Amino acid sequence: MKVIIAGAGIGGLTAALSLNKYGIEVKVFESVSELSPLGVGINVLPHASRELIALGLQDKLDSFAIRTTSMQYFTRRGKQIISVPCGEHAGYNWPQYSLHRGEFQMMLLATLRQRAGDDSVVSGHQLSGFEQDEHGVTASFVDPSGRQLPDQRGDILIGADGLHSTARKQLYPDEGAPVYSGMICFRGAVVGDPYLDGQSMIICGDKRLRLVSYPISRREKDQGRSHINWIAAVPFATDKPQEENWNKETNADNLLELYEDWDFNWLNVPDLIHQTEQIFEFPVYDRDPLQRWTFGRVTLLGDAAHPLIPVSSSGAVHAIIDGRALAYALAKNKDAQTGLQAYQQDRLPKANHVVVASRQNGPDEVLEIVREKCPEDAENIHEYVDKQLLQGVIDGFKERSGFAIDTLNKLDSYDLTD
């Protein structure tokens, strides 16, 4: 079996590493001319980190990532709403990691080239279309200038080519544009003094204005510092399409005005923003859930299959799980198309549920409950809101999304060696 993957993002590379582990020939084609670290911070939750650990990546992750101790929710005045332990601290058998997305992607890329050969990933190849027959699939590619490149032949084509997936567009030519969430995110990272225990993720504010932040560097932590990743989520209603560019830099002045009074005794948000040299601005989009990913010898994975609003750190997590589930299904089924159907049957309903739950605010709904029930100047949130109610919202999301502690700890991973 030979598998062609379009897209060398986190999902595509995880799928390739997993396929290689089972002795399945795989080649990844990436649209950019040169792969380089992109993005800032992401979180890898236990149901994804267990799959990376099964790939033998734990030591590499621990060399640069933070093992997250807790997820802590705060009001826009810096008063704690609830603190929830993460990873092993919560009783999972695996850690939760906070890390730099680009560093993570480069680690996956280097590992794949080491295990499968330097030619396992080819850059400068943008998928432009495909044709399939009873014997295989032919994928067509163009270079960054639009020049046609030689076709590639394989048994299977995996569209892991992101929100604007060419594979998805050919399968669903009438789908239209992605769905704008009404929110713009501003992202940055800066080295500074640790806050709280130096290993916690914080979510502050509510739907009107929100800030998410967490440390992303084990190396800085070992030196007593913190590489602080932050995301400011700002509602922005408009009928005009927003420019989708992960590398669009912006000015901090407007943000500083919005967050000028977010000075907590444990974190000064205006200082955090002011000290950040590069701030990136991007609108948040997703797509409506699909009822089918697999068409014969072609299927979708990660953001191409189910782009997610960035709630509960789900995007990279489910791309990783997709990649592992795909390889597992193909390794267990000698017939390629049967394997793709098994992958779809397993992953599609789970991923679609997360798409819908993320649109409904996921575990971050605790912020809205407190906003509705609690005066803004309240010193003790739990005088107005039962802590068990808040814990129930978070636990309910985990249960519905398939990573409640007891459920996950008893569940087999996508590894044939288990």
Side-chain angles (χ1 to χ4, degrees), residues 120-139:
S120 58
V121 180
V122 181
S123 60
H125 279 62
Q126 166 69 53
L127 182 70
S128 59
F130 60 84
E131 294 181 355
Q132 56 181 314
D133 53 46
E134 58 181 315
H135 301 295
V137 58
T138 301

Side-chain angles (χ1 to χ4, degrees), residues 132 187 191 283 400 415:
Q132 56 181 314
R187 303 192 68 149
V191 175
R400 293 190 303 274
D415 200 301

Side-chain angles (χ1 to χ4, degrees), residues 25-41:
E25 183 181 356
V26 59
K27 183 164 279 193
V28 183
F29 294 87
E30 169 56 40
S31 61
V32 300
S33 298
E34 183 177 352
L35 285 155
S36 59
L38 293 177
V40 194

Side-chain angles (χ1 to χ4, degrees), residues 184-379:
I184 290 181
C185 282
F186 300 84
R187 303 192 68 149
V190 62
V191 175
D193 294 327
Y195 58 79
L196 302 177
D197 68 351
Q199 294 179 248
S200 290
M201 178 179 185
I202 62 168
I203 303 97
C204 308
D206 48 55
K207 284 184 177 179
R208 297 171 296 176
L209 200 60
R210 190 176 312 186
L211 183 98
V212 179
S213 181
Y214 46 89
I216 57 174
S217 173
R218 167 72 180 271
R219 301 181 189 95
E220 292 293 344
K221 176 182 178 296
D222 289 346
Q223 296 178 22
R225 303 284 285 169
S226 184
H227 192 185
I228 302 169
N229 175 82
W230 58 266
I231 308 104
V234 179
F236 184 74
T238 178
D239 295 329
K240 298 180 180 179
Q242 297 299 295
E243 180 185 359
E244 298 168 66
N245 180 356
W246 283 80
N247 295 313
K248 180 183 177 182
E249 293 193 42
T250 190
N251 189 293
D253 292 346
N254 291 337
L255 274 183
L256 287 170
E257 184 177 343
L258 288 171
Y259 289 90
E260 62 182 354
D261 60 345
W262 288 45
D263 182 1
F264 315 140
N265 59 11
W266 48 273
L267 178 68
N268 187 313
V269 176
D271 279 357
L272 186 71
I273 295 171
H274 180 72
Q275 292 167 12
T276 303
E277 292 184 3
Q278 283 186 308
I279 298 176
F280 300 96
E281 171 188 342
F282 65 95
V284 177
Y285 285 88
D286 69 358
R287 288 188 183 273
D288 293 332
L290 298 175
Q291 298 308 307
R292 185 179 177 188
W293 297 344
T294 297
F295 294 76
R297 296 176 177 273
V298 179
T299 197
L300 304 174
L301 183 151
D303 280 354
H306 51 75
L308 292 161
I309 290 174
V311 170
S312 74
S313 306
S314 293
V317 164
H318 286 276
I320 290 166
I321 297 173
D322 285 352
R324 294 283 292 151
L326 172 71
Y328 180 81
L330 291 176
K332 287 193 69 176
N333 293 275
K334 292 182 179 180
D335 178 70
Q337 296 186 67
T338 302
L340 292 187
Q341 289 294 335
Y343 156 71
Q344 174 180 275
Q345 184 176 0
D346 173 27
R347 288 295 302 150
L348 184 144
K350 297 172 184 175
N352 282 353
H353 171 83
V354 178
V355 172
V356 174
S358 296
R359 286 180 171 181
Q360 295 170 347
N361 214 23
D364 292 1
E365 188 60 23
V366 298
L367 301 172
E368 301 311 307
I369 293 172
V370 168
R371 174 187 169 188
E372 293 173 2
K373 295 180 177 291
C374 209
E376 282 207 355
D377 59 352
E379 289 294 323

Side-chain angles (χ1 to χ4, degrees), residues 355-406:
V355 172
V356 174
S358 296
R359 286 180 171 181
Q360 295 170 347
N361 214 23
D364 292 1
E365 188 60 23
V366 298
L367 301 172
E368 301 311 307
I369 293 172
V370 168
R371 174 187 169 188
E372 293 173 2
K373 295 180 177 291
C374 209
E376 282 207 355
D377 59 352
E379 289 294 323
N380 184 357
I381 301 300
H382 301 132
E383 288 182 3
Y384 300 88
V385 183
D386 185 358
K387 186 177 179 180
Q388 293 303 313
L389 170 65
L390 303 174
Q391 187 68 54
V393 171
I394 293 167
D395 291 345
F397 177 80
K398 290 182 178 180
E399 185 67 46
R400 293 190 303 274
S401 300
F403 70 105
I405 297 171
D406 290 341

Side-chain angles (χ1 to χ4, degrees), residues 80-92:
Q80 188 180 84
I81 294 171
I82 189 169
S83 177
V84 183
C86 294
E88 296 157 314
H89 304 278
Y92 288 103

Side-chain angles (χ1 to χ4, degrees), residues 36-62:
S36 59
L38 293 177
V40 194
I42 60 171
N43 267 263
V44 178
L45 305 183
H47 46 324
S49 65
R50 70 176 301 191
E51 301 299 339
L52 297 172
I53 290 169
L55 284 172
L57 301 175
Q58 183 165 9
D59 288 346
K60 293 183 178 183
L61 287 166
D62 280 325

